């Protein structure tokens, strides 16, 4: 039986992030994806100027009211970039409306990277988005988002002890399982995992590839979601997400494209399907 995943993110028309990444990746995993676009932008906000931004907040309730009349059910709700504080509140209502005992709530609290908030967001937005993690079964923050959620300084030289402390604190705050991305160790880059079901902490890594590209967080979170919904374990899903993200960065690094244009994740879809034993 195909799983139906509700993906709530923006559409950045150019630049490969959010829905233009989530939809093809979840499809490659064999899932049905229902989309709820939060905003339409000409590009994402990372490094571009003069981008258009059309907020779709007023469309959200009519769309979900139509779905309610059709009795549509979701196996997972996967949220990413939200455009305003008002939308965060609406997404909480949408989760309350559609969550069944088997619906997995996966929240990527998209608000910043490299120690800085993304363009257009302020600390009031960050504080409100932090509270959305309390509705989640699984959260996928990077270190910047973790610092904002916990209201702590962005670390200069974090070590494993630091990551374990942050994972524990994020779990205590949200009550969710936590996948902390951007965890570095020697020449490796990966993620820390706090599994709320087993109450255990683990780390998975892939080789670190030089270069910073936009949209890698969305590739990671979408692969993770697609894999979890195929009943892969949290550790195996996180390892697959690390491997696919690393491989997409590696391909892009060789192409020498503008870092704002996103990663060549499309070319890693056969590898993803192999890892998930779909082909
Ligand atoms: O990749 C996260 C993301 C999603 N959507 C928009 C963004 C960003 C990051 O910059 O600007 C519009």
């Amino acid at each position: 039986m195909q799983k139906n995943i509700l993906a709530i993110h923006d559409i950045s028309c150019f630049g490969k992030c959010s829905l233009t990444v989530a939809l093809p990746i979840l499809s490659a995993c064999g899932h049905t994806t229902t989309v709820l676009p939060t905003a339409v932008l000409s590009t994402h906000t990372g490094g571009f100027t003069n981008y258009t931004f059309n907020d779709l907040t007023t469309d959200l309730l009519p769309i979900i009211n139509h779905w309610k009349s059709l009795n549509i059910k979701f196996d997972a709700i996967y949220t990413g970039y939200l455009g305003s504080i008002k939308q965060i509140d609406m997404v909480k209502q949408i989760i309350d409306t559609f969550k069944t005992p088997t619906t997995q709530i996966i929240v990527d609290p998209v608000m910043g990277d490299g120690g800085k908030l993304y363009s257009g967001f302020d600390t009031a937005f960050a504080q409100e988005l932090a509270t959305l993690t309390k509705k989640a079964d699984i959260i996928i923050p990077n270190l910047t988002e973790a610092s904002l959620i916990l209201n702590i300084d962005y670390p200069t030289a974090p070590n494993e002890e630091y990551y374990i402390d942050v994972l524990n604190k994020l779990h205590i705050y949200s009550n969710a399982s936590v996948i902390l991305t951007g965890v570095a160790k020697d020449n490796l880059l990966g993620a820390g995992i706090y599994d709320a079901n087993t109450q255990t902490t683990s780390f998975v890594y892939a080789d670190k590839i030089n270069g910073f590209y936009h949209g890698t967080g969305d590739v990671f979170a979408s692969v993770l979601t697609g894999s979890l919904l195929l009943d892969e374990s949290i550790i195996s899903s996180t390892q697959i997400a690390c491997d696919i993200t690393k491989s997409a960065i590696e391909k892009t690094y060789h192409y020498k494209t503008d870092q704002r244009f996103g990663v060549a994740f499309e070319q890693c879809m056969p590898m993803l399907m192999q890892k998930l034993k779909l082909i």
Side-chain angles (χ1 to χ4, degrees):
M1 186 68 180
Q2 271 185 305
K3 300 274 173 69
N4 186 13
I5 303 175
L6 170 57
I8 309 179
H9 307 243
D10 71 287
I11 296 181
S12 288
C13 299
F14 177 79
K16 293 201 276 190
C17 65
S18 40
L19 276 184
T20 64
V21 165
L23 185 50
I25 289 180
L26 296 175
S27 298
C29 297
H31 303 306
T32 296
T33 309
T34 305
V35 297
L36 188 61
T38 55
V40 179
L41 295 88
S42 51
T43 65
H44 59 69
T45 65
F48 292 107
T49 49
N50 302 323
Y51 50 82
T52 68
F53 184 100
N54 185 28
D55 181 65
L56 297 180
T57 304
T58 54
D59 284 339
L60 302 188
L61 286 181
I63 292 173
I64 69 147
N65 283 337
H66 185 212
W67 292 345
K68 267 196 267 180
S69 77
L70 297 170
N71 201 21
I72 295 174
K73 303 261 186 278
F74 300 110
D75 297 290
I77 300 177
Y78 162 38
T79 78
Y81 184 99
L82 306 178
S84 64
I85 289 186
K86 198 166 169 211
Q87 270 188 9
I88 300 169
D89 200 49
M90 276 191 188
V91 169
K92 288 179 185 166
Q93 287 177 45
I94 292 168
I95 291 172
D96 291 341
T97 304
F98 287 101
K99 188 175 165 63
T100 71
T102 55
T103 310
Q104 287 201 61
I105 310 298
I106 301 171
V107 170
D108 183 356
V110 175
M111 50 182 153
D113 204 2
K116 292 198 193 93
L117 281 163
Y118 290 133
S119 163
F121 291 156
D122 58 18
T123 47
F125 176 87
Q127 277 172 14
E128 194 58 35
L129 189 61
T131 64
L132 182 63
T133 64
K134 293 176 185 277
K135 294 257 177 215
D137 298 305
I138 298 175
I139 62 172
I140 317 171
N142 60 30
L143 263 187
T144 305
E145 292 153 352
S147 309
L148 288 159
I149 293 167
L150 297 176
N151 217 354
I152 55 176
D153 287 340
Y154 182 69
T156 43
N159 56 18
E160 197 159 293
E161 196 188 339
Y162 177 88
Y163 295 131
I164 291 171
D165 187 46
V166 165
L167 283 164
N168 284 332
K169 285 185 172 139
L170 285 168
H171 169 68
I172 290 165
Y173 176 84
S174 64
N175 205 29
S177 290
V178 182
I179 317 286
L180 178 67
T181 65
V183 166
K185 181 184 179 183
D186 307 323
N187 292 331
L188 304 171
L189 193 60
I193 303 161
Y194 180 86
D195 183 338
N197 295 319
T198 57
Q199 298 179 350
T200 51
T201 303
S202 33
F203 291 89
V204 301
Y205 298 98
D207 289 339
K208 182 174 165 36
I209 312 292
N210 284 331
F212 170 83
Y213 294 93
H214 276 278
T216 51
D218 296 328
V219 171
F220 183 96
S222 300
V223 171
L224 180 72
T225 300
S227 178
L228 286 170
L229 268 285
L230 286 170
D231 298 327
E232 287 282 341
S233 72
I234 195 164
I235 294 179
S236 155
S237 298
T238 308
Q239 183 67 64
I240 293 171
C242 283
D243 292 344
I244 297 296
T245 308
K246 175 226 138 187
S247 156
I249 295 172
E250 197 167 36
K251 283 186 191 295
T252 316
Y253 184 72
H254 289 298
Y255 292 149
K256 299 194 182 358
T257 45
D258 188 317
Q259 65 178 34
R260 299 173 299 175
F261 294 3
V263 287
F265 74 92
E266 302 88 340
Q267 301 191 342
C268 304
M269 293 301 95
M271 184 198 283
L272 172 62
M273 293 170 86
Q274 270 163 1
K275 283 183 183 288
L276 292 171
K277 300 175 196 70
L278 295 170
I279 52 172

